[in-house]
Amino acid sequence: GLAPVSTGVLVRVAAAPPPPPPPPSQDDLTGVALDASGRPIANAIVQVQMVWNPNVVRTRTGADGRYAVRGLPAGLSHKVIAWHEVSFAGRSYCVRLGMPNVGDYDAFVPGAGVVRDFRWKLTGRIPDAGNNYFGATLVLVPATNFYDPVLEHGDDVELTLVPQGPLVDGSAGEVITRTVRYNTAGWNSRLEDIPHGVYTARVTRVRGGVRTALRVARLDNGTPGATATVDWEPDHQGSCGQVLGPDLRTFSLRLENP
């Protein structure tokens, strides 16, 4: 005989917390490839090889520049290297990518999430490639003229390179000036670590304070003139996996009297 009673109940429901991310694999190798401006490099080749074994694992970076390699044999030393395939000035190059730290070039043993990042470098020494540099090499070769030599002992040779448009990575190039002294006892005419681009070259001889513009041309061909175009050809034979240093053939510039 009691009257019905209604009661309201407030229920608070908390959403379940998201599951924790899975722990990193003990065999993982991850990283990111970026250009000099910090933008991701998509589709770069990343190669992991055991140090004392020909086994090779290859992958490519995604649109965000990241890559991941899993399932590497634990307890064995590996090395990793990366390349960026680039078309520049009508040619195709395998650009060797650098790493932020010198120690990153050393071998590693797969462990708790090893990270190896890559950076596109135009200059600097490549730690695991002997005396190679990321930049290009140019050689100055004086023409042979017994009666009127182009260079004499003690002459200063001033090379000026003016970039013709952007460099291989799209960045703006700068005018480069290098000076070397000619020595008949042994002349080091190699100018190394030049950022890869297309340049107009001119050469000035300084003798006793007198500056003389020399004529220049490609060593293999070309008519000598006040300037010459310097552009490097690719040096790889086959796949990028054979490129440890810069993928650039040495460019030789012939020097002649005015």
Side-chain angles (χ1 to χ4, degrees):
L2 298 176
V5 176
S6 298
T7 302
V9 179
L10 177 64
V11 180
R12 298 183 183 276
V13 179
S25 167
Q26 294 296 306
D27 301 334
D28 276 1
L29 169 66
T30 61
V32 62
L34 304 175
D35 64 15
S37 300
R39 295 169 297 195
I41 300 176
N43 210 37
I45 301 171
V46 180
Q47 175 175 294
V48 187
Q49 181 172 351
M50 293 173 60
V51 173
W52 304 112
N53 191 295
N55 290 343
V56 171
V57 176
R58 276 195 172 192
T59 188
R60 288 184 180 265
T61 59
D64 59 356
R66 297 190 175 277
Y67 73 94
V69 179
R70 295 181 172 86
L72 296 176
L76 299 177
S77 295
H78 293 72
K79 293 197 71 174
V80 60
I81 190 172
W83 301 271
H84 181 31
E85 297 166 299
V86 179
S87 294
F88 178 69
R91 300 186 177 103
S92 297
Y93 299 88
C94 290
V95 175
R96 169 77 189 271
L97 296 179
M99 294 182 175
N101 306 302
V102 174
D104 293 342
Y105 293 85
D106 297 336
F108 65 92
V109 175
V114 177
V115 176
R116 289 293 184 270
D117 294 332
F118 294 96
R119 299 291 184 271
W120 192 348
K121 298 183 178 182
L122 297 186
T123 60
R125 192 177 70 85
I126 307 176
D128 63 352
N131 292 322
N132 281 310
Y133 294 86
F134 288 106
T137 298
L138 189 150
V139 174
L140 302 176
V141 181
T144 302
N145 190 331
F146 181 79
Y147 296 101
D148 186 18
V150 178
L151 299 176
E152 296 180 356
H153 182 80
D155 286 349
D156 282 334
V157 183
E158 181 183 278
L159 169 70
T160 301
L161 298 173
V162 180
Q164 302 302 301
L167 303 180
V168 66
D169 66 346
S171 64
E174 298 179 350
V175 176
I176 299 171
T177 300
R178 303 272 186 95
T179 301
V180 292
R181 177 156 293 179
Y182 183 68
N183 189 334
T184 55
W187 185 42
N188 183 12
S189 61
R190 293 175 61 86
L191 303 174
E192 298 178 308
D193 210 20
I194 300 170
H196 183 193
V198 178
Y199 296 87
T200 294
R202 61 177 182 269
V203 177
T204 301
R205 180 184 66 204
V206 183
R207 178 184 298 168
V210 178
R211 299 174 60 86
T212 303
L214 300 178
R215 293 186 300 160
V216 293
R218 295 179 65 106
L219 182 64
D220 52 359
N221 59 58
T223 302
T227 63
T229 299
V230 174
D231 58 344
W232 286 270
E233 298 181 5
D235 195 34
H236 68 271
Q237 301 292 330
S239 69
C240 292
Q242 305 301 316
V243 179
L244 295 180
D247 184 29
L248 303 168
R249 293 183 184 177
T250 298
F251 186 96
S252 296
L253 195 64
R254 186 174 75 250
L255 311 182
E256 297 193 3
N257 281 316

